[in-house]
Amino acid sequence: MTGAIVWLRDDLRLADNPALRAGIDHGGDLTVVHVLDDQSEGIRPLGGAAKWWLHQSLTSLDADLRQRGSRLVLRRGAAPDVIDQLVADTGADGVYWNRRYGPVEREIDAGIKAALTDRGIAAHSFAASLLWEPWTVLNGSGEAYKVFTPFWRAAQAMPEPRHPLPKPRTLPDPSSATGDDLADWALLPTSPDWAGGLRDAWTPGEHGAAKLLEDFVEHALEDYDQRDEPAMAATSDLSPHLRWGEISPYQVWHRLHGKLEPHQRQQAPAFLRQLAWREFNWHEYFHCEQLAMVNVRREFDAFPWRDAPEDELQRWYHGTTGFDLVDAGMRELWSSGAMHNRVRLATASFLVKNMLVDWRIGEQWFWDTLVDADPANNAGNWQWVAGSGFDAAPYFRVFNPDRQLERFDKHREYVRRWVPADEERPEPMLDLRETRQRALDAYDRMRRA
Ligand code: FAD
């Protein structure tokens, strides 16, 4: 008996999915599987908001597969064991997936590929989540770029990213392989159910992603030069969809190079540049595997972080610092699973510089609460703010949240969405000027150490 397994991971879509295409072309029945691997050593457990997203996304994917005569098989366990068992259950002689770039995931995938190949089973992987795989954009000495601008210049000089593949209209019959009930994975919060704000804000799944891209291009792209104003709907909101691969960067890239009105075309390069930051962070993660744990610039290992008391951290987590922009951002995050980029910068800087708290504590909070929590983008941006990344903000750049508010939310439109005007506000928890100086002194101490 022949047949194929398509193992979907961070690519929960039917369109532009090379692994799915290969599985179809393989012939025979087709098993489309998602594995919840919370057992392989070194896999970082998903945060709460990401679990919520995954549940919704898998539901949407299964519905799309069923519409085309297939279905999604869910299995839980260490991926090598699960895939091995699934091959035995289905008699498949081909297994296909799109590549992942995290260090642990790469090792798992390489092990599975070698084991399958040894047994004469076709095992093939494809590029689908990044426009440029991390080993393809290198400097003249064959090394990874450490600074974004030359990286972006080099990437743009590469051949154009391939065109996206169409969504298959029908799919081969599924095998008889059985799987888990999604509900048994308990990805949704129950006691309490804190996901109301997430449900209001998001439509996970491939359809939601495609609609968002179209809406963005039609209605917001022309305002992208105002993307730093958090009250404006001037950005795409595509990050969680990209995180879970409900839309591929190839689809986004080619939409932005496709039919656009002149006023939209003007903003396309700025938008693609942001998209390229996602690529750059993945390159950095590929070449610096401990990105979420270790300072890229090792001199920061000697940084004298404060061991902040829990009640201070709680004020930051829950948006009661007494600084409007910080509090609005942290509440937006807690409620909706997202935060505007400009406000992410301000809240992160507040934690790392004013509160002098190790960036890894903030990274972990964001990891738990963001729907777009992404191993490379989250850690890469935290290291950028902390000054410990390769291409990072210079440490002495301390965002002043009050000045940021004046600049980017002058009329308090954003702040009022999350911090009611009549709320009794706590006193500011710290003095901005003093803590800025304390941060600069700490930086000096580190440099001298
Ligand atoms: P748009 O402006 O519409 O940009 C389009 C796409 O480009 C985004 O969806 C995203 O994939 C990418 N992008 C945009 N800005 C950045 C950036 N600065 N770095 C990397 N990619 C970018 N982004 C994540 O996807 N996941 C994270 O976990 C994450 N954590 C962050 C933590 C901190 C401390 C900071 C400062 C930023 C973080 N970002 C993260 C980057 C950025 O804030 C979000 O990608 C952006 O706010 C998403 O909104 P959007 O989709 O409307 O962006």
Side-chain angles (χ1 to χ4, degrees):
M1 187 164 94
T2 65
I5 293 171
V6 173
W7 177 20
L8 298 183
R9 300 97 68 86
D10 298 334
D11 50 348
L12 304 177
R13 63 177 182 273
L14 304 189
D16 193 35
N17 195 320
L20 182 62
R21 181 75 258 160
I24 297 168
D25 291 347
H26 182 92
D29 59 28
L30 181 71
T31 306
V32 183
V33 65
H34 180 78
V35 180
L36 183 62
D37 186 350
D38 41 14
Q39 284 174 25
S40 290
E41 207 184 314
I43 294 259
R44 188 174 184 183
L46 292 173
K51 282 191 200 163
W52 174 85
W53 190 284
L54 178 61
H55 179 106
Q56 311 296 336
S57 192
L58 293 174
T59 306
S60 163
L61 179 65
D62 183 50
D64 287 350
L65 286 166
R66 283 177 192 272
Q67 257 187 8
R68 289 165 176 76
S70 186
R71 65 195 171 80
L72 183 63
V73 173
L74 299 174
R75 296 237 173 146
R76 185 173 199 160
D81 302 339
V82 173
I83 296 299
D84 199 40
Q85 184 61 48
L86 200 55
V87 168
D89 292 351
T90 59
D93 55 1
V95 183
Y96 303 95
W97 62 78
N98 295 314
R99 284 192 276 279
R100 309 186 279 190
Y101 303 96
V104 176
E105 291 80 1
R106 265 189 290 139
E107 205 179 311
I108 291 172
D109 294 353
I112 294 176
K113 191 181 254 187
L116 290 170
T117 310
D118 274 357
R119 291 163 55 194
I121 294 168
H124 294 291
S125 64
F126 304 88
S129 307
L130 292 179
L131 296 167
W132 303 284
E133 293 192 289
W135 51 89
T136 59
V137 185
L138 300 173
N139 66 19
S141 328
E143 288 165 359
Y145 283 97
K146 295 183 173 164
V147 178
F148 173 76
T149 302
F151 164 83
W152 180 215
R153 210 179 296 125
Q156 286 173 290
M158 306 267 291
E160 193 183 32
R162 63 165 176 75
H163 280 269
L165 303 169
K167 196 185 269 194
R169 291 220 178 113
T170 57
L171 291 169
D173 288 339
S175 69
S176 58
T178 53
D180 299 344
D181 272 344
L182 183 55
D184 292 341
W185 285 5
L187 298 172
L188 299 178
T190 46
S191 47
D193 171 11
W194 44 255
L198 274 61
R199 284 192 289 273
D200 292 345
W202 300 102
T203 308
E206 189 168 1
H207 296 282
K211 181 172 181 312
L212 216 47
L213 176 60
E214 249 354 272
D215 286 352
F216 170 67
V217 171
E218 288 303 319
H219 307 298
L221 176 57
E222 64 194 72
D223 296 327
Y224 199 65
D225 55 345
Q226 294 165 61
R227 64 184 171 280
D228 274 334
E229 296 179 28
M232 291 277 299
T235 69
S236 70
D237 290 336
L238 280 171
S239 53
H241 300 280
L242 282 162
R243 154 69 184 89
W244 290 105
E246 297 167 355
I247 194 164
S248 79
Y250 296 86
Q251 291 170 286
V252 178
W253 175 274
H254 284 285
R255 180 63 188 91
L256 270 285
H257 282 88
K259 200 165 161 286
L260 295 178
E261 301 295 333
H263 57 285
Q264 297 167 331
R265 196 175 303 283
Q266 233 179 17
Q267 293 302 324
F271 177 76
L272 291 170
R273 192 171 197 276
Q274 287 312 112
L275 193 66
W277 268 102
R278 173 178 176 274
E279 303 274 329
F280 179 71
N281 283 328
W282 274 99
H283 283 232
E284 190 168 17
Y285 184 33
F286 182 86
H287 294 286
C288 173
E289 300 182 344
Q290 305 292 313
L291 192 64
M293 285 174 276
V294 174
N295 296 302
V296 175
R297 292 176 189 270
R298 297 310 297 260
E299 64 266 29
F300 272 79
D301 291 354
F303 195 88
W305 302 112
R306 269 176 76 234
D307 196 4
E310 184 58 27
D311 66 306
E312 278 188 28
L313 291 177
Q314 290 296 333
R315 290 185 73 170
W316 184 78
Y317 292 153
H318 296 295
T320 57
T321 64
F323 293 93
D324 281 349
L325 189 65
V326 175
D327 291 351
M330 296 309 289
R331 293 178 193 195
E332 180 188 16
L333 174 61
W334 185 245
S335 165
S336 73
M339 194 197 296
H340 187 277
N341 183 59
R342 173 60 40 185
V343 190
R344 291 188 202 203
L345 291 168
T347 53
S349 171
F350 187 83
L351 182 79
V352 170
K353 311 262 168 96
N354 298 103
M355 293 173 67
L356 215 62
V357 168
D358 192 326
W359 61 267
R360 283 162 279 222
I361 291 179
E363 197 273 345
Q364 182 62 44
W365 183 256
F366 274 31
W367 178 261
D368 284 337
T369 51
L370 277 172
V371 285
D372 66 17
D374 174 292
N377 270 357
N378 196 36
N381 273 289
W382 273 97
Q383 296 231 32
W384 189 90
V385 174
S388 58
F390 276 142
D391 183 358
Y395 186 83
F396 50 80
R397 191 160 150 208
V398 181
F399 285 77
N400 178 314
D402 288 344
R403 271 198 227 123
Q404 294 281 309
L405 182 63
E406 273 314 306
R407 229 175 123 194
F408 298 111
D409 191 35
K410 210 180 170 107
H411 304 296
R412 306 284 198 273
E413 217 183 307
Y414 169 76
V415 159
R416 287 295 159 251
R417 275 183 214 158
W418 302 103
V419 180
D422 56 0
E423 181 184 291
E424 201 179 315
R425 298 289 289 136
E427 285 295 309
M429 65 183 275
L430 49 78
D431 182 289
L432 289 176
R433 206 176 334 166
E434 266 172 29
T435 51
R436 177 177 187 280
Q437 192 52 52
R438 180 177 66 179
L440 298 181
D441 293 346
Y443 181 62
D444 270 350
R445 281 217 300 287
M446 175 195 84
R447 284 188 23 197
R448 281 198 301 270

